[in-house]
Amino acid sequence: MLDADIAKCFDRINHEVLLQKLNIKGRVRQQIKAWLKSGVIDQGAFTSTSEGTPQGGVLSPLLANIALHGMEERIKQEFPKMSFCMRETWFHKKGTNFHSPNIIRYADDFVILHENKAVVQRCREIISEWLAGIGLELKPEKTRLTHTLNPELSEDGNAGFDFLGHHIRQHPAGKYRSIRDSFGIKLGFNTLIIPSAKASKAHQEEVGRIIKKHRSSPQAALIKDLNPVIRGWASFYSNSDAQTVGELSKQDHLTYLKLRRWAKRRCGNINDGHIKYWTSINGDNWVFATNEGKANPLRLLKHKDISCSSTDYVKVKGDKSPYDGDLIYWSSRLGKHPQMPNRKAKLLKKQKGKCPWCGLSFQDWDVLEVDHIIPHALGGKDDYKNLQLLHRHCHDEKTALDLKEIRKKDHSKFLERLSQFWEKFNWEWVNDIPNFISRAVRKSDMTKGQHIE
């Protein structure tokens, strides 16, 4: 795989190429060009912008994505997907399937993945030529050819790579722990996505800076400043294996050591610090929380309280955008959408976009209806555990079956009331007709409530 970075991407983007990719004319094009050429004022000093976009600006990531658009198509044009019956080339052997290299890009960082080293090397040359056309180039010190499993196949001897604060690497595994491919074949390794060492170190430095700032502040002020940082960092890695490898527990331990020093400085000895600043909540004896308002104390979040897993995440389709109007797709992913009712959006995410009655995926043209799994007439409640989203025709089928059950229940209730009614009378069958003799006398009526032996 190729782990690459573009040198001074935001500072060297060619304005003319960027405007051509926007593919717009008239006043809008003139206005965007004026914005690009407007210059930057930094600490009172004016700098003209004949090329590039201001890094850190609101539109800089968007403009960089527009400028770099087309990189994936250029790679696929050079290495198209080929089946086993297609012609033989230097990268495709006849009788085998060839898959195009995968390119994953975020702003100016990107990686190219493929099983053939020669293909990846050729991709590096193609990308360099393509970037030259828009005034950019690869950064040599941050661009390397590496392997995710075997260190000896990497240029620098290190397996795996860092991307967006994550470290991705494959580790050898036995037959009982190895993952399988789509055909059920054991691969002999496991892929782990964990926080990079640089990201973990930066997070602990931020936690330490906050604790140092609150050396003389109340405990509540310290907790209020730490909780957003811990929640944000752990949530960012919610789609990784940080919990599997114990990284979250490690972060909790490092945070505890910093808080321990903070408490010892304030109390003189750590025993008094533990008694004053740590407490027991729900079986956890080491909770950094306030003692004020014991019914609802302000507590410090733990990294491991936020669950994470790399296998739960589903990649966004390459041609999808939150603004393409596909309500079903985005509601199923996010559990919310401005044009979809909140209850339907949550149910779509819960059901992963599928109808539980027929098992088929919902489409844009389908009519969706909310159904009670157990109907109200049979004792069902109006909560999310008892709700499901169905196609309209599936809802009609289920309702028909529910009505049969409701009628059976109503009929049994009728028979029960009828039985109770007949028990009040003495009667006998005469010519298949019930003949009333007299009203039944209860034992309590005969004794008038007195005990008789």
Side-chain angles (χ1 to χ4, degrees):
M1 61 135 319
L2 178 67
D3 182 12
D5 184 66
I6 301 174
K8 298 183 178 179
C9 175
F10 294 96
D11 299 333
R12 294 183 178 178
I13 294 176
N14 189 301
H15 288 175
E16 295 302 323
V17 176
L18 180 60
L19 291 171
Q20 289 176 7
K21 288 192 175 185
L22 288 174
N23 195 23
I24 53 178
K25 298 180 180 179
R27 291 186 177 181
V28 177
R29 177 188 174 92
Q30 295 175 2
Q31 183 62 61
I32 294 176
K33 184 176 181 180
W35 287 339
L36 292 173
K37 302 290 186 181
S38 61
V40 178
I41 298 178
D42 186 15
Q43 296 181 355
F46 175 80
T47 305
S48 61
T49 52
S50 58
E51 61 179 3
T53 62
Q55 186 168 359
V58 177
L59 291 179
S60 294
L62 174 61
L63 294 175
N65 280 329
I66 295 173
L68 297 175
H69 180 70
M71 186 186 297
E72 299 87 345
E73 286 74 10
R74 179 65 185 90
I75 295 295
K76 291 183 179 180
Q77 181 183 354
E78 183 74 16
F79 299 103
K81 184 178 180 180
M82 305 181 75
S83 62
F84 66 94
C85 59
M86 298 180 70
R87 61 184 177 86
E88 186 167 340
T89 63
W90 70 269
F91 57 84
H92 171 245
K93 185 178 180 180
K94 194 172 183 179
T96 61
N97 292 322
F98 177 82
H99 298 282
S100 300
N102 292 321
I103 180 168
I104 303 170
R105 179 174 60 83
Y106 184 86
D108 60 337
D109 295 331
F110 66 93
V111 294
I112 299 177
L113 307 171
H114 199 267
E115 58 186 5
N116 191 335
K117 184 177 180 180
V119 171
V120 178
Q121 290 175 334
R122 176 57 184 155
C123 287
R124 176 192 280 183
E125 299 173 1
I126 295 171
I127 293 297
S128 298
E129 297 172 1
W130 187 85
L131 289 175
I134 57 176
L136 299 174
E137 63 180 359
L138 293 176
K139 196 171 186 178
E141 56 269 23
K142 287 190 176 182
T143 301
R144 67 189 187 106
L145 198 66
T146 183
H147 196 274
T148 54
L149 180 62
N150 300 320
E152 59 271 12
L153 298 178
S154 302
E155 289 181 342
D156 56 359
N158 296 320
F161 63 97
D162 291 346
F163 188 65
L164 301 180
H166 294 75
H167 182 72
I168 298 96
R169 183 180 175 182
Q170 293 169 336
H171 299 266
K175 62 179 181 179
Y176 296 111
R177 294 182 179 271
S178 171
I179 59 174
R180 300 173 182 264
D181 62 8
S182 57
F183 299 101
I185 301 174
K186 294 179 181 179
L187 299 177
F189 61 82
N190 285 327
T191 302
L192 292 180
I193 304 174
I194 62 176
S196 64
K198 184 178 179 181
S200 298
K201 182 179 178 181
H203 175 60
Q204 277 304 311
E205 289 177 352
E206 175 66 11
V207 170
R209 185 191 62 80
I210 294 175
I211 294 176
K212 186 176 180 180
K213 184 182 74 172
H214 289 282
R215 284 180 296 183
S216 302
S217 303
Q219 184 185 17
L222 174 60
I223 293 175
K224 288 179 180 179
D225 271 9
L226 281 178
N227 276 347
V229 175
I230 294 174
R231 184 187 293 109
W233 192 86
S235 298
F236 180 76
Y237 293 101
S238 60
N239 294 310
S240 72
D241 298 300
Q243 196 164 24
T244 304
V245 300
E247 180 63 30
L248 298 185
S249 297
K250 177 183 176 182
Q251 292 294 326
D252 285 332
H253 178 66
L254 294 175
T255 303
Y256 162 74
L257 293 179
K258 292 179 173 61
L259 292 174
R260 187 176 183 271
R261 184 177 180 181
W262 176 86
K264 184 177 180 181
R265 180 181 181 274
R266 295 166 70 98
C267 297
N269 64 82
I270 192 56
N271 291 331
D272 293 342
H274 281 157
I275 295 172
K276 185 175 181 180
Y277 297 114
W278 276 267
T279 185
S280 298
I281 298 178
N282 297 330
D284 188 351
N285 296 328
W286 293 96
V287 181
F288 189 75
T290 59
N291 291 323
E292 300 175 3
K294 292 185 178 180
N296 189 22
L298 181 63
R299 59 176 296 178
L300 181 70
L301 289 177
K302 292 188 176 182
H303 296 79
K304 63 182 181 182
D305 291 340
I306 299 177
S307 61
C308 62
S309 173
S310 62
T311 58
D312 293 341
Y313 179 76
V314 179
K315 183 179 178 293
V316 178
K317 294 181 180 179
D319 58 346
K320 290 296 181 182
S321 168
Y323 307 103
D324 59 8
D326 193 342
L327 305 183
I328 302 297
Y329 179 79
W330 290 106
S331 297
S332 301
R333 282 191 64 90
L334 305 177
K336 60 182 179 180
H337 197 281
Q339 298 180 3
M340 176 73 70
N342 191 40
R343 185 162 70 165
K344 287 187 177 181
K346 288 184 177 180
L347 292 174
L348 275 171
K349 183 177 181 181
K350 177 183 176 183
Q351 298 172 195
K352 298 182 179 179
K354 291 186 178 181
C355 174
W357 187 259
C358 63
L360 299 177
S361 298
F362 292 114
Q363 303 296 331
D364 288 339
W365 54 83
D366 290 333
V367 180
L368 312 182
E369 294 183 348
V370 178
D371 170 69
H372 290 82
I373 299 174
I374 302 176
H376 277 301
L378 297 178
K381 297 181 180 180
D382 193 20
D383 54 19
Y384 277 103
K385 293 181 180 179
N386 192 44
L387 295 179
Q388 61 182 353
L389 203 61
L390 305 176
H391 294 106
R392 172 173 285 179
H393 56 277
C394 295
H395 192 199
D396 293 340
E397 293 178 6
K398 182 180 180 300
T399 301
L401 296 177
D402 288 341
L403 288 174
K404 290 182 180 180
E405 295 297 326
I406 293 172
R407 292 190 186 104
K408 287 181 181 179
K409 182 178 180 180
D410 291 343
H411 183 65
S412 62
K413 286 184 177 180
F414 171 75
L415 293 178
E416 183 179 354
R417 288 196 301 267
L418 185 63
S419 175
Q420 293 174 355
F421 173 78
W422 286 112
E423 288 178 355
K424 298 178 181 178
F425 301 94
N426 292 325
W427 56 277
E428 63 181 359
W429 288 100
V430 178
N431 297 328
D432 292 334
I433 298 176
N435 184 28
F436 292 95
I437 300 175
S438 63
R439 185 179 181 88
V441 180
R442 293 177 297 180
K443 186 176 181 180
S444 59
D445 294 339
M446 296 174 62
T447 59
K448 295 182 180 181
Q450 298 178 1
H451 179 68
I452 301 177
E453 294 186 1

